[in-house]
Each structure stands twice: as C-alpha cells, then as structure tokens.
Amino acid sequence: MGICERRTVIVTGAGRGLGRAHARALAAEGAAVLVNDIDSAAAQRVAAEIQQDGGQALANSDDITTLAGAHKIVEAALGAFGEVHALVNNAGIVRDKMFVNLTEQDWDEVIRVHLRGHFCIASLLVRRWRDQVKASGQKVDARIVNTTSGAGLQGSVGQGNYAAAKGGIASLTLVQAAELARYGITANALAPAARTGMTEPVFGEIMKKPDDPNAFDHYAPENVSPLVVWLCSPLSAHVTGRVFEVEGGKISVATGWRTGPGRDKKARWNPAELTEVVNELLAEAPKPQKVYGT
C-alpha cells in the first residue's frame, strides 16, 4: 500500500521534467493521476508509462489558464476516477529578458501561465471541497501543492516577470492556507532546484548529469517528487502554509518575509531624520540573500 492509495491527483505540466517525475512518483505510491500538459503527445506518453508500470493515469491537454479549461480538467478526473483529492500546480514557462527589455507580451504570458494557471483549477476544486464540507458536516482531506521558485523567493536577474509570478504564488499559498484550513484543505508550496527544460539553458553546465552512472544525480527532477507525494498524502494533514526548498537530497523550510528590527518614535517622522534611523535598522537586520544571477 502506497501513501497515496485511493487518492486522485491532478498534476499540471506533467508531460516532462518535474511534472512527469511527480506524476510517476504519485502513481508509484498508489495515486490515480490526471496527467495534464499542453503538449498532448507528451501527456499521453507519461500516462502510458504509468499504465505500463501498473498504475492509473489519464492524459489531458486542456488549458489550465481559463476556468472553462479548468472545468474540463476537473470533470475529466472526476469522470475517470470519481473524486479529486489533491492538485499539484506545476506548469510554467519562461520568457527571460532584462527588465528594461521586457515586453508587455513577455510579462502577460508568464503571469498568465503561472498565476492564472495556479488559480483556475484550484478555484474550482476548492469550491467543490467546500460544498462537500457544507453538505456532510465533515472536513475533507484535500491538498494544494503549488510551485514557486528561488527566483520568487530571492529574485533573479533577467527574470523579472518569472520572479514576480513565483513570488505571487508563494504569497497566494499563505492566503490559501489561512482561508481553507476550516475545510480540511492544506496549501503548501515548493521551490525546486532541478534539471528541466526551463533550467538547462541557463544552468546546463551546473546541473548536468554526473559522468559516473552510479553517482547521485543531484539535480534529477525525481529528487523533488518524494516531498510532493508526501504533501499530497494523508500524512501531511498537519502541515499547511509552508514553502519548502528542495535540491538534491536536501529539504529546507523557507522562512519568508518577517518583521525585523524597528524604531517607534510614537510620532510622525521628519524625512530628514530618517537617514540615521534607516542606516541603524539595516545594520541590525539580517543581510538579504544573494539575488540569482549576481
């Protein structure tokens, strides 16, 4: 018996990379998986891989960025498997440019796929789960797993659109956790460091496979998936509103923005006196983490 036995999970962007690894790992632990990817052939391949391994999977290529597309995705999962217990929002794109060169289209496409993509399916599932709670009087045991990034947590040179979207996803996760706990729904996010189609063009040399086939492949996408499986399982019911960073065999909890050192004058500040005050606060505050790409 796997830890996700008798659970159905929707995974977006599951045709390759991290999404494929998540879908296969979830199926290996007993979950029925709806494999969603805009590339229908890739989704079909992953679903076939899972089925060949004895698991349950359904391929789907509907649009995650519209409520109409999200409705088709949810209905497909319900039709095939009867219920949905967890959502892994993984799909994403990059349109990398320095901020001064970003176009309106570059901005809108990345925000649409990441933020709208994280909203649409979750919105429909959350309403379904809430209605189940109201009808039965019993909490559900449901999960939302979002995907942020180190770029969204620390910033990343040449990725203003992507970093803004990923930072938004981290904040959305905190709000979802606070609002949805009453229904038995948890919301967590992960910031993975792995070799994918999006990271290889930038970090290809760093993330390349080791020459020794027996060596631990530090940046293999499969290293991230165990945490995703656990977060989708009943075992994680006590964890919500957290952002985890995963790289190789290391799992970390991101602490996020917190209120740091302060000065309270108990009156309005004069702008001219703030230089000394701000300099003192910055000297006392923890140094910010290095921005990616600097």
Side-chain angles (χ1 to χ4, degrees):
M1 292 283 287
I3 66 171
C4 285
E5 203 77 32
R6 293 188 293 275
R7 290 175 76 78
T8 296
V9 185
I10 295 172
V11 184
T12 69
R16 53 180 56 82
L18 282 164
R20 173 180 176 269
H22 299 341
R24 289 176 59 86
L26 283 159
E29 286 292 332
V33 183
L34 183 136
V35 179
N36 169 268
D37 199 283
I38 194 170
D39 183 340
S40 61
Q44 292 283 355
R45 281 195 298 272
V46 175
E49 291 170 359
I50 291 171
Q51 291 163 356
Q52 288 165 8
D53 290 340
Q56 299 181 75
L58 175 69
N60 175 278
S61 58
D62 288 307
D63 187 356
I64 66 170
T65 69
T66 70
L67 285 175
H71 179 77
K72 292 180 181 178
I73 294 166
V74 172
E75 287 301 307
L78 294 175
F81 306 120
E83 190 51 81
V84 178
H85 305 91
L87 166 65
V88 179
N89 280 316
N90 168 76
I93 63 169
V94 289
R95 298 288 185 270
D96 292 352
K97 289 178 184 175
M98 300 300 282
F99 184 78
V100 70
N101 295 321
L102 277 177
T103 67
E104 184 177 24
Q105 183 177 3
D106 295 330
W107 181 270
D108 287 348
E109 286 183 356
V110 169
I111 296 298
R112 176 179 59 83
V113 172
H114 289 276
L115 281 175
R116 282 183 62 90
H118 270 63
F119 166 76
C120 290
I121 302 176
S123 175
L124 295 180
L125 287 175
V126 162
R127 294 180 188 212
R128 175 181 174 81
W129 292 330
R130 178 199 60 187
D131 291 346
Q132 290 176 348
V133 173
K134 288 183 175 180
S136 69
Q138 301 287 327
K139 288 185 177 182
V140 295
D141 189 25
R143 306 283 181 268
I144 298 172
V145 180
N146 294 326
T147 305
T148 181
S149 166
L153 303 179
Q154 287 100 39
S156 179
V157 171
Q159 292 190 308
N161 47 2
Y162 180 76
K166 289 302 193 181
I169 288 167
S171 294
L172 172 64
T173 303
L174 302 182
V175 176
Q176 288 174 329
E179 293 183 355
L180 303 177
R182 71 188 74 177
Y183 306 119
I185 305 166
T186 69
N188 294 284
L190 63 148
R195 185 174 57 250
T196 71
M198 290 199 301
T199 59
E200 280 191 286
V202 181
F203 303 109
E205 186 60 28
I206 297 172
M207 292 186 170
K208 68 179 182 179
K209 291 182 179 181
D211 295 330
D212 181 356
N214 296 315
F216 177 56
D217 187 354
H218 186 83
Y219 289 106
E222 291 78 10
N223 297 336
V224 180
S225 300
L227 179 62
V228 173
V229 174
W230 185 82
L231 287 172
C232 287
S233 79
L235 300 176
S236 64
H238 61 295
V239 178
T240 194
R242 295 290 188 169
V243 176
F244 296 91
E245 296 181 81
V246 188
E247 178 184 326
K250 182 179 180 181
I251 298 174
S252 307
V253 179
T255 56
W257 292 100
R258 295 182 179 275
T259 303
R263 297 286 188 280
D264 187 354
K265 184 181 177 181
K266 307 295 185 183
R268 185 178 300 127
W269 291 96
N270 183 309
E273 61 186 337
L274 287 176
T275 299
E276 181 179 355
V277 172
V278 171
N279 286 343
E280 289 177 355
L281 293 176
L282 293 178
E284 296 172 16
K287 295 293 184 286
Q289 290 189 244
K290 185 179 180 181
V291 175
Y292 282 27
T294 61

